[in-house]
PDB file of all heavy atoms in Angstrom:
ATOM      1  N   VAL B  26     -49.196   7.028  31.751  1.00  0.00           N
ATOM      2  CA  VAL B  26     -48.913   6.693  30.420  1.00  0.00           C
ATOM      3  C   VAL B  26     -50.237   5.981  29.692  1.00  0.00           C
ATOM      4  O   VAL B  26     -50.798   5.150  30.412  1.00  0.00           O
ATOM      5  CB  VAL B  26     -47.783   5.658  30.253  1.00  0.00           C
ATOM      6  CG1 VAL B  26     -47.612   5.211  28.847  1.00  0.00           C
ATOM      7  CG2 VAL B  26     -46.454   6.333  30.807  1.00  0.00           C
ATOM      8  N   ILE B  27     -50.693   6.489  28.616  1.00  0.00           N
ATOM      9  CA  ILE B  27     -51.736   5.997  27.869  1.00  0.00           C
ATOM     10  C   ILE B  27     -51.158   5.115  26.594  1.00  0.00           C
ATOM     11  O   ILE B  27     -50.760   5.777  25.658  1.00  0.00           O
ATOM     12  CB  ILE B  27     -52.698   7.014  27.376  1.00  0.00           C
ATOM     13  CG1 ILE B  27     -53.174   7.811  28.556  1.00  0.00           C
ATOM     14  CG2 ILE B  27     -53.945   6.395  26.678  1.00  0.00           C
ATOM     15  CD1 ILE B  27     -54.054   9.148  28.194  1.00  0.00           C
ATOM     16  N   PRO B  28     -51.192   3.828  26.754  1.00  0.00           N
ATOM     17  CA  PRO B  28     -50.733   2.982  25.613  1.00  0.00           C
ATOM     18  C   PRO B  28     -51.564   3.207  24.304  1.00  0.00           C
ATOM     19  O   PRO B  28     -52.867   3.562  24.396  1.00  0.00           O
ATOM     20  CB  PRO B  28     -50.773   1.575  26.074  1.00  0.00           C
ATOM     21  CG  PRO B  28     -51.809   1.570  27.104  1.00  0.00           C
ATOM     22  CD  PRO B  28     -51.737   2.983  27.729  1.00  0.00           C
ATOM     23  N   PRO B  29     -51.054   3.072  23.120  1.00  0.00           N
ATOM     24  CA  PRO B  29     -51.852   3.145  21.959  1.00  0.00           C
ATOM     25  C   PRO B  29     -52.866   2.098  21.822  1.00  0.00           C
ATOM     26  O   PRO B  29     -52.755   1.011  22.439  1.00  0.00           O
ATOM     27  CB  PRO B  29     -50.824   3.070  20.761  1.00  0.00           C
ATOM     28  CG  PRO B  29     -49.690   2.345  21.381  1.00  0.00           C
ATOM     29  CD  PRO B  29     -49.564   2.735  22.831  1.00  0.00           C
ATOM     30  N   GLY B  30     -53.886   2.295  21.018  1.00  0.00           N
ATOM     31  CA  GLY B  30     -54.918   1.276  20.775  1.00  0.00           C
ATOM     32  C   GLY B  30     -56.175   1.594  21.552  1.00  0.00           C
ATOM     33  O   GLY B  30     -56.267   2.586  22.274  1.00  0.00           O
ATOM     34  N   GLU B  31     -57.134   0.627  21.383  1.00  0.00           N
ATOM     35  CA  GLU B  31     -58.549   0.795  21.975  1.00  0.00           C
ATOM     36  C   GLU B  31     -58.607   0.002  23.276  1.00  0.00           C
ATOM     37  O   GLU B  31     -57.897  -0.993  23.412  1.00  0.00           O
ATOM     38  CB  GLU B  31     -59.517   0.364  21.025  1.00  0.00           C
ATOM     39  CG  GLU B  31     -59.816   1.210  19.884  1.00  0.00           C
ATOM     40  CD  GLU B  31     -61.109   0.827  19.072  1.00  0.00           C
ATOM     41  OE1 GLU B  31     -61.747  -0.242  19.469  1.00  0.00           O
ATOM     42  OE2 GLU B  31     -61.507   1.534  18.188  1.00  0.00           O
ATOM     43  N   ASN B  32     -59.374   0.504  24.171  1.00  0.00           N
ATOM     44  CA  ASN B  32     -59.674  -0.266  25.444  1.00  0.00           C
ATOM     45  C   ASN B  32     -60.583  -1.303  25.039  1.00  0.00           C
ATOM     46  O   ASN B  32     -61.769  -1.068  24.609  1.00  0.00           O
ATOM     47  CB  ASN B  32     -60.357   0.752  26.440  1.00  0.00           C
ATOM     48  CG  ASN B  32     -60.452   0.143  27.798  1.00  0.00           C
ATOM     49  OD1 ASN B  32     -60.637  -1.097  27.881  1.00  0.00           O
ATOM     50  ND2 ASN B  32     -60.598   0.968  28.733  1.00  0.00           N
ATOM     51  N   PRO B  33     -60.261  -2.563  25.240  1.00  0.00           N
ATOM     52  CA  PRO B  33     -61.197  -3.738  24.830  1.00  0.00           C
ATOM     53  C   PRO B  33     -62.490  -3.695  25.621  1.00  0.00           C
ATOM     54  O   PRO B  33     -63.351  -4.321  25.087  1.00  0.00           O
ATOM     55  CB  PRO B  33     -60.337  -4.901  25.178  1.00  0.00           C
ATOM     56  CG  PRO B  33     -59.283  -4.479  26.206  1.00  0.00           C
ATOM     57  CD  PRO B  33     -58.979  -3.091  25.870  1.00  0.00           C
ATOM     58  N   LYS B  34     -62.496  -3.162  26.761  1.00  0.00           N
ATOM     59  CA  LYS B  34     -63.733  -3.131  27.550  1.00  0.00           C
ATOM     60  C   LYS B  34     -64.617  -1.892  27.214  1.00  0.00           C
ATOM     61  O   LYS B  34     -65.718  -1.796  27.511  1.00  0.00           O
ATOM     62  CB  LYS B  34     -63.354  -2.995  29.093  1.00  0.00           C
ATOM     63  CG  LYS B  34     -62.640  -4.255  29.597  1.00  0.00           C
ATOM     64  CD  LYS B  34     -62.273  -4.144  31.152  1.00  0.00           C
ATOM     65  CE  LYS B  34     -61.686  -5.368  31.576  1.00  0.00           C
ATOM     66  NZ  LYS B  34     -61.298  -5.362  33.029  1.00  0.00           N
ATOM     67  N   LYS B  35     -64.012  -0.932  26.436  1.00  0.00           N
ATOM     68  CA  LYS B  35     -64.724   0.267  25.942  1.00  0.00           C
ATOM     69  C   LYS B  35     -64.360   0.592  24.578  1.00  0.00           C
ATOM     70  O   LYS B  35     -63.551   1.468  24.248  1.00  0.00           O
ATOM     71  CB  LYS B  35     -64.289   1.493  26.856  1.00  0.00           C
ATOM     72  CG  LYS B  35     -64.810   1.270  28.342  1.00  0.00           C
ATOM     73  CD  LYS B  35     -64.361   2.583  29.161  1.00  0.00           C
ATOM     74  CE  LYS B  35     -64.789   2.399  30.582  1.00  0.00           C
ATOM     75  NZ  LYS B  35     -64.388   3.582  31.379  1.00  0.00           N
ATOM     76  N   PRO B  36     -64.930  -0.223  23.543  1.00  0.00           N
ATOM     77  CA  PRO B  36     -64.603  -0.106  22.162  1.00  0.00           C
ATOM     78  C   PRO B  36     -64.760   1.451  21.704  1.00  0.00           C
ATOM     79  O   PRO B  36     -65.706   2.074  22.137  1.00  0.00           O
ATOM     80  CB  PRO B  36     -65.595  -0.931  21.507  1.00  0.00           C
ATOM     81  CG  PRO B  36     -65.899  -2.026  22.482  1.00  0.00           C
ATOM     82  CD  PRO B  36     -65.985  -1.230  23.767  1.00  0.00           C
ATOM     83  N   GLY B  37     -63.709   1.871  20.967  1.00  0.00           N
ATOM     84  CA  GLY B  37     -63.807   3.253  20.539  1.00  0.00           C
ATOM     85  C   GLY B  37     -63.113   4.252  21.508  1.00  0.00           C
ATOM     86  O   GLY B  37     -62.899   5.402  21.195  1.00  0.00           O
ATOM     87  N   SER B  38     -62.800   3.760  22.723  1.00  0.00           N
ATOM     88  CA  SER B  38     -62.088   4.664  23.746  1.00  0.00           C
ATOM     89  C   SER B  38     -60.576   4.213  23.947  1.00  0.00           C
ATOM     90  O   SER B  38     -60.299   3.038  23.757  1.00  0.00           O
ATOM     91  CB  SER B  38     -62.830   4.519  25.083  1.00  0.00           C
ATOM     92  OG  SER B  38     -64.122   4.881  25.006  1.00  0.00           O
ATOM     93  N   PRO B  39     -59.796   5.142  24.359  1.00  0.00           N
ATOM     94  CA  PRO B  39     -58.361   4.796  24.524  1.00  0.00           C
ATOM     95  C   PRO B  39     -58.237   3.943  25.811  1.00  0.00           C
ATOM     96  O   PRO B  39     -59.232   3.841  26.615  1.00  0.00           O
ATOM     97  CB  PRO B  39     -57.813   6.241  24.720  1.00  0.00           C
ATOM     98  CG  PRO B  39     -58.770   7.095  25.237  1.00  0.00           C
ATOM     99  CD  PRO B  39     -60.049   6.556  24.547  1.00  0.00           C
ATOM    100  N   HIS B  40     -57.109   3.352  25.922  1.00  0.00           N
ATOM    101  CA  HIS B  40     -56.801   2.632  27.096  1.00  0.00           C
ATOM    102  C   HIS B  40     -56.804   3.448  28.381  1.00  0.00           C
ATOM    103  O   HIS B  40     -56.599   4.699  28.181  1.00  0.00           O
ATOM    104  CB  HIS B  40     -55.356   1.989  26.957  1.00  0.00           C
ATOM    105  CG  HIS B  40     -55.377   0.792  26.044  1.00  0.00           C
ATOM    106  ND1 HIS B  40     -55.856  -0.602  26.494  1.00  0.00           N
ATOM    107  CD2 HIS B  40     -54.868   0.632  24.873  1.00  0.00           C
ATOM    108  CE1 HIS B  40     -55.647  -1.312  25.458  1.00  0.00           C
ATOM    109  NE2 HIS B  40     -55.103  -0.736  24.443  1.00  0.00           N
ATOM    110  N   ASN B  41     -56.977   2.884  29.499  1.00  0.00           N
ATOM    111  CA  ASN B  41     -56.860   3.555  30.717  1.00  0.00           C
ATOM    112  C   ASN B  41     -55.488   3.968  30.948  1.00  0.00           C
ATOM    113  O   ASN B  41     -54.502   3.394  30.537  1.00  0.00           O
ATOM    114  CB  ASN B  41     -57.349   2.755  31.942  1.00  0.00           C
ATOM    115  CG  ASN B  41     -58.812   2.407  31.824  1.00  0.00           C
ATOM    116  OD1 ASN B  41     -59.629   3.116  31.313  1.00  0.00           O
ATOM    117  ND2 ASN B  41     -59.352   1.311  32.383  1.00  0.00           N
ATOM    118  N   VAL B  42     -55.268   5.050  31.854  1.00  0.00           N
ATOM    119  CA  VAL B  42     -53.945   5.536  32.207  1.00  0.00           C
ATOM    120  C   VAL B  42     -53.264   4.575  33.094  1.00  0.00           C
ATOM    121  O   VAL B  42     -53.890   3.992  34.059  1.00  0.00           O
ATOM    122  CB  VAL B  42     -54.053   6.960  32.798  1.00  0.00           C
ATOM    123  CG1 VAL B  42     -52.656   7.276  33.399  1.00  0.00           C
ATOM    124  CG2 VAL B  42     -54.594   7.955  31.922  1.00  0.00           C
ATOM    125  N   ARG B  43     -52.017   4.247  32.837  1.00  0.00           N
ATOM    126  CA  ARG B  43     -51.170   3.400  33.864  1.00  0.00           C
ATOM    127  C   ARG B  43     -50.167   4.356  34.470  1.00  0.00           C
ATOM    128  O   ARG B  43     -49.480   5.122  33.804  1.00  0.00           O
ATOM    129  CB  ARG B  43     -50.436   2.378  33.096  1.00  0.00           C
ATOM    130  CG  ARG B  43     -51.200   1.071  32.913  1.00  0.00           C
ATOM    131  CD  ARG B  43     -52.341   1.094  31.979  1.00  0.00           C
ATOM    132  NE  ARG B  43     -52.712  -0.260  31.558  1.00  0.00           N
ATOM    133  CZ  ARG B  43     -53.632  -0.475  30.690  1.00  0.00           C
ATOM    134  NH1 ARG B  43     -54.298   0.511  30.012  1.00  0.00           N
ATOM    135  NH2 ARG B  43     -53.913  -1.816  30.388  1.00  0.00           N
ATOM    136  N   LEU B  44     -50.072   4.362  35.828  1.00  0.00           N
ATOM    137  CA  LEU B  44     -49.215   5.197  36.599  1.00  0.00           C
ATOM    138  C   LEU B  44     -47.821   4.546  36.739  1.00  0.00           C
ATOM    139  O   LEU B  44     -47.701   3.350  37.155  1.00  0.00           O
ATOM    140  CB  LEU B  44     -49.755   5.586  37.969  1.00  0.00           C
ATOM    141  CG  LEU B  44     -50.847   6.572  37.920  1.00  0.00           C
ATOM    142  CD1 LEU B  44     -51.448   6.844  39.326  1.00  0.00           C
ATOM    143  CD2 LEU B  44     -50.525   7.904  37.197  1.00  0.00           C
ATOM    144  N   TYR B  45     -46.683   5.348  36.544  1.00  0.00           N
ATOM    145  CA  TYR B  45     -45.365   4.817  36.747  1.00  0.00           C
ATOM    146  C   TYR B  45     -44.585   5.906  37.578  1.00  0.00           C
ATOM    147  O   TYR B  45     -44.585   7.039  37.279  1.00  0.00           O
ATOM    148  CB  TYR B  45     -44.730   4.622  35.435  1.00  0.00           C
ATOM    149  CG  TYR B  45     -45.191   3.455  34.645  1.00  0.00           C
ATOM    150  CD1 TYR B  45     -46.167   3.613  33.647  1.00  0.00           C
ATOM    151  CD2 TYR B  45     -44.755   2.161  34.812  1.00  0.00           C
ATOM    152  CE1 TYR B  45     -46.751   2.605  32.883  1.00  0.00           C
ATOM    153  CE2 TYR B  45     -45.324   1.025  34.061  1.00  0.00           C
ATOM    154  CZ  TYR B  45     -46.259   1.295  33.137  1.00  0.00           C
ATOM    155  OH  TYR B  45     -46.797   0.217  32.485  1.00  0.00           O
ATOM    156  N   SER B  46     -43.964   5.458  38.579  1.00  0.00           N
ATOM    157  CA  SER B  46     -43.105   6.343  39.383  1.00  0.00           C
ATOM    158  C   SER B  46     -41.937   6.771  38.560  1.00  0.00           C
ATOM    159  O   SER B  46     -41.397   5.935  37.816  1.00  0.00           O
ATOM    160  CB  SER B  46     -42.551   5.630  40.644  1.00  0.00           C
ATOM    161  OG  SER B  46     -43.594   5.243  41.481  1.00  0.00           O
ATOM    162  N   ILE B  47     -41.614   8.078  38.653  1.00  0.00           N
ATOM    163  CA  ILE B  47     -40.520   8.679  37.853  1.00  0.00           C
ATOM    164  C   ILE B  47     -39.202   8.311  38.475  1.00  0.00           C
ATOM    165  O   ILE B  47     -39.135   8.400  39.706  1.00  0.00           O
ATOM    166  CB  ILE B  47     -40.660  10.102  37.648  1.00  0.00           C
ATOM    167  CG1 ILE B  47     -41.956  10.484  36.881  1.00  0.00           C
ATOM    168  CG2 ILE B  47     -39.463  10.640  36.922  1.00  0.00           C
ATOM    169  CD1 ILE B  47     -42.430  11.938  36.854  1.00  0.00           C
ATOM    170  N   ALA B  48     -38.268   7.827  37.610  1.00  0.00           N
ATOM    171  CA  ALA B  48     -36.928   7.304  38.205  1.00  0.00           C
ATOM    172  C   ALA B  48     -35.770   8.279  37.998  1.00  0.00           C
ATOM    173  O   ALA B  48     -34.634   7.844  38.059  1.00  0.00           O
ATOM    174  CB  ALA B  48     -36.697   5.881  37.600  1.00  0.00           C
ATOM    175  N   SER B  49     -36.087   9.518  37.879  1.00  0.00           N
ATOM    176  CA  SER B  49     -35.030  10.592  37.687  1.00  0.00           C
ATOM    177  C   SER B  49     -35.418  11.768  38.469  1.00  0.00           C
ATOM    178  O   SER B  49     -36.482  11.944  38.961  1.00  0.00           O
ATOM    179  CB  SER B  49     -34.920  10.918  36.203  1.00  0.00           C
ATOM    180  OG  SER B  49     -36.209  11.328  35.644  1.00  0.00           O
ATOM    181  N   THR B  50     -34.444  12.623  38.636  1.00  0.00           N
ATOM    182  CA  THR B  50     -34.733  13.941  39.254  1.00  0.00           C
ATOM    183  C   THR B  50     -35.480  14.862  38.288  1.00  0.00           C
ATOM    184  O   THR B  50     -35.622  14.441  37.124  1.00  0.00           O
ATOM    185  CB  THR B  50     -33.422  14.660  39.552  1.00  0.00           C
ATOM    186  OG1 THR B  50     -32.801  15.141  38.493  1.00  0.00           O
ATOM    187  CG2 THR B  50     -32.497  13.823  40.490  1.00  0.00           C
ATOM    188  N   ARG B  51     -35.814  15.980  38.706  1.00  0.00           N
ATOM    189  CA  ARG B  51     -36.583  16.893  37.787  1.00  0.00           C
ATOM    190  C   ARG B  51     -35.730  17.388  36.627  1.00  0.00           C
ATOM    191  O   ARG B  51     -36.261  17.869  35.692  1.00  0.00           O
ATOM    192  CB  ARG B  51     -37.065  18.046  38.636  1.00  0.00           C
ATOM    193  CG  ARG B  51     -35.889  19.009  39.195  1.00  0.00           C
ATOM    194  CD  ARG B  51     -36.420  19.987  40.179  1.00  0.00           C
ATOM    195  NE  ARG B  51     -36.751  19.275  41.454  1.00  0.00           N
ATOM    196  CZ  ARG B  51     -37.418  19.879  42.501  1.00  0.00           C
ATOM    197  NH1 ARG B  51     -37.581  21.239  42.457  1.00  0.00           N
ATOM    198  NH2 ARG B  51     -37.652  19.243  43.559  1.00  0.00           N
ATOM    199  N   TYR B  52     -34.401  17.147  36.661  1.00  0.00           N
ATOM    200  CA  TYR B  52     -33.404  17.539  35.583  1.00  0.00           C
ATOM    201  C   TYR B  52     -33.403  16.389  34.640  1.00  0.00           C
ATOM    202  O   TYR B  52     -32.829  16.617  33.506  1.00  0.00           O
ATOM    203  CB  TYR B  52     -32.234  18.004  36.182  1.00  0.00           C
ATOM    204  CG  TYR B  52     -32.197  19.218  37.106  1.00  0.00           C
ATOM    205  CD1 TYR B  52     -32.326  19.051  38.441  1.00  0.00           C
ATOM    206  CD2 TYR B  52     -32.405  20.465  36.471  1.00  0.00           C
ATOM    207  CE1 TYR B  52     -32.437  20.202  39.248  1.00  0.00           C
ATOM    208  CE2 TYR B  52     -32.615  21.618  37.336  1.00  0.00           C
ATOM    209  CZ  TYR B  52     -32.555  21.476  38.702  1.00  0.00           C
ATOM    210  OH  TYR B  52     -32.750  22.524  39.534  1.00  0.00           O
ATOM    211  N   GLY B  53     -33.850  15.242  34.888  1.00  0.00           N
ATOM    212  CA  GLY B  53     -33.719  14.081  33.980  1.00  0.00           C
ATOM    213  C   GLY B  53     -32.367  13.540  33.866  1.00  0.00           C
ATOM    214  O   GLY B  53     -31.324  14.086  34.334  1.00  0.00           O
ATOM    215  N   ASP B  54     -32.193  12.407  33.056  1.00  0.00           N
ATOM    216  CA  ASP B  54     -30.923  11.716  32.909  1.00  0.00           C
ATOM    217  C   ASP B  54     -29.958  12.635  32.133  1.00  0.00           C
ATOM    218  O   ASP B  54     -28.756  12.398  32.199  1.00  0.00           O
ATOM    219  CB  ASP B  54     -31.078  10.450  32.337  1.00  0.00           C
ATOM    220  CG  ASP B  54     -31.663   9.397  33.316  1.00  0.00           C
ATOM    221  OD1 ASP B  54     -31.923   9.878  34.416  1.00  0.00           O
ATOM    222  OD2 ASP B  54     -31.685   8.293  32.879  1.00  0.00           O
ATOM    223  N   ASN B  55     -30.469  13.576  31.354  1.00  0.00           N
ATOM    224  CA  ASN B  55     -29.504  14.464  30.585  1.00  0.00           C
ATOM    225  C   ASN B  55     -29.242  15.811  31.304  1.00  0.00           C
ATOM    226  O   ASN B  55     -28.601  16.664  30.834  1.00  0.00           O
ATOM    227  CB  ASN B  55     -30.197  14.799  29.241  1.00  0.00           C
ATOM    228  CG  ASN B  55     -30.246  13.613  28.366  1.00  0.00           C
ATOM    229  OD1 ASN B  55     -29.501  12.618  28.537  1.00  0.00           O
ATOM    230  ND2 ASN B  55     -31.147  13.542  27.328  1.00  0.00           N
ATOM    231  N   PHE B  56     -29.822  15.951  32.502  1.00  0.00           N
ATOM    232  CA  PHE B  56     -29.553  17.106  33.347  1.00  0.00           C
ATOM    233  C   PHE B  56     -29.901  18.427  32.794  1.00  0.00           C
ATOM    234  O   PHE B  56     -29.420  19.430  33.186  1.00  0.00           O
ATOM    235  CB  PHE B  56     -28.036  17.156  33.776  1.00  0.00           C
ATOM    236  CG  PHE B  56     -27.437  15.883  34.208  1.00  0.00           C
ATOM    237  CD1 PHE B  56     -26.703  15.010  33.528  1.00  0.00           C
ATOM    238  CD2 PHE B  56     -27.838  15.352  35.556  1.00  0.00           C
ATOM    239  CE1 PHE B  56     -26.227  13.745  33.895  1.00  0.00           C
ATOM    240  CE2 PHE B  56     -27.439  14.115  35.998  1.00  0.00           C
ATOM    241  CZ  PHE B  56     -26.453  13.406  35.153  1.00  0.00           C
ATOM    242  N   ASP B  57     -30.866  18.385  31.865  1.00  0.00           N
ATOM    243  CA  ASP B  57     -31.380  19.672  31.212  1.00  0.00           C
ATOM    244  C   ASP B  57     -32.845  20.002  31.405  1.00  0.00           C
ATOM    245  O   ASP B  57     -33.379  20.926  30.862  1.00  0.00           O
ATOM    246  CB  ASP B  57     -31.064  19.622  29.716  1.00  0.00           C
ATOM    247  CG  ASP B  57     -31.763  18.460  29.057  1.00  0.00           C
ATOM    248  OD1 ASP B  57     -32.555  17.736  29.680  1.00  0.00           O
ATOM    249  OD2 ASP B  57     -31.580  18.340  27.793  1.00  0.00           O
ATOM    250  N   GLY B  58     -33.415  19.274  32.198  1.00  0.00           N
ATOM    251  CA  GLY B  58     -34.789  19.446  32.662  1.00  0.00           C
ATOM    252  C   GLY B  58     -35.869  19.137  31.466  1.00  0.00           C
ATOM    253  O   GLY B  58     -36.989  19.510  31.488  1.00  0.00           O
ATOM    254  N   LYS B  59     -35.475  18.332  30.590  1.00  0.00           N
ATOM    255  CA  LYS B  59     -36.251  18.048  29.394  1.00  0.00           C
ATOM    256  C   LYS B  59     -36.621  16.581  29.250  1.00  0.00           C
ATOM    257  O   LYS B  59     -37.408  16.209  28.303  1.00  0.00           O
ATOM    258  CB  LYS B  59     -35.585  18.486  28.098  1.00  0.00           C
ATOM    259  CG  LYS B  59     -35.363  20.065  28.015  1.00  0.00           C
ATOM    260  CD  LYS B  59     -34.713  20.434  26.752  1.00  0.00           C
ATOM    261  CE  LYS B  59     -34.652  21.929  26.643  1.00  0.00           C
ATOM    262  NZ  LYS B  59     -33.952  22.439  25.368  1.00  0.00           N
ATOM    263  N   THR B  60     -36.136  15.769  30.189  1.00  0.00           N
ATOM    264  CA  THR B  60     -36.531  14.304  30.032  1.00  0.00           C
ATOM    265  C   THR B  60     -36.943  13.868  31.379  1.00  0.00           C
ATOM    266  O   THR B  60     -36.642  14.416  32.417  1.00  0.00           O
ATOM    267  CB  THR B  60     -35.308  13.476  29.619  1.00  0.00           C
ATOM    268  OG1 THR B  60     -34.271  13.471  30.509  1.00  0.00           O
ATOM    269  CG2 THR B  60     -34.715  13.973  28.311  1.00  0.00           C
ATOM    270  N   ALA B  61     -37.667  12.752  31.407  1.00  0.00           N
ATOM    271  CA  ALA B  61     -37.957  11.864  32.624  1.00  0.00           C
ATOM    272  C   ALA B  61     -37.648  10.467  32.243  1.00  0.00           C
ATOM    273  O   ALA B  61     -37.736   9.946  31.067  1.00  0.00           O
ATOM    274  CB  ALA B  61     -39.502  12.054  32.927  1.00  0.00           C
ATOM    275  N   SER B  62     -37.333   9.647  33.365  1.00  0.00           N
ATOM    276  CA  SER B  62     -37.053   8.336  33.172  1.00  0.00           C
ATOM    277  C   SER B  62     -38.102   7.414  33.909  1.00  0.00           C
ATOM    278  O   SER B  62     -38.437   7.747  35.060  1.00  0.00           O
ATOM    279  CB  SER B  62     -35.682   7.973  33.578  1.00  0.00           C
ATOM    280  OG  SER B  62     -34.709   8.680  32.838  1.00  0.00           O
TER     281      SER B  62
END
């Protein structure tokens, strides 16, 4: 996930990527394959 805003350590650049483990199956909470949690 890349949060909005600038990276304070690199003015003009986006924030670094933060990794988050996905908490759903490949079908997502709506069971249609279109979401992730």
Side-chain angles (χ1 to χ4, degrees):
V26 176
I27 304 175
E31 287 190 358
N32 187 332
K34 296 180 180 179
K35 297 179 181 178
S38 299
H40 284 287
N41 293 333
V42 173
R43 271 74 163 181
L44 290 178
Y45 291 93
S46 297
I47 298 172
S49 51
T50 72
R51 66 193 69 185
Y52 297 100
D54 284 7
N55 294 336
F56 310 107
D57 61 2
K59 295 180 180 180
T60 69
S62 299

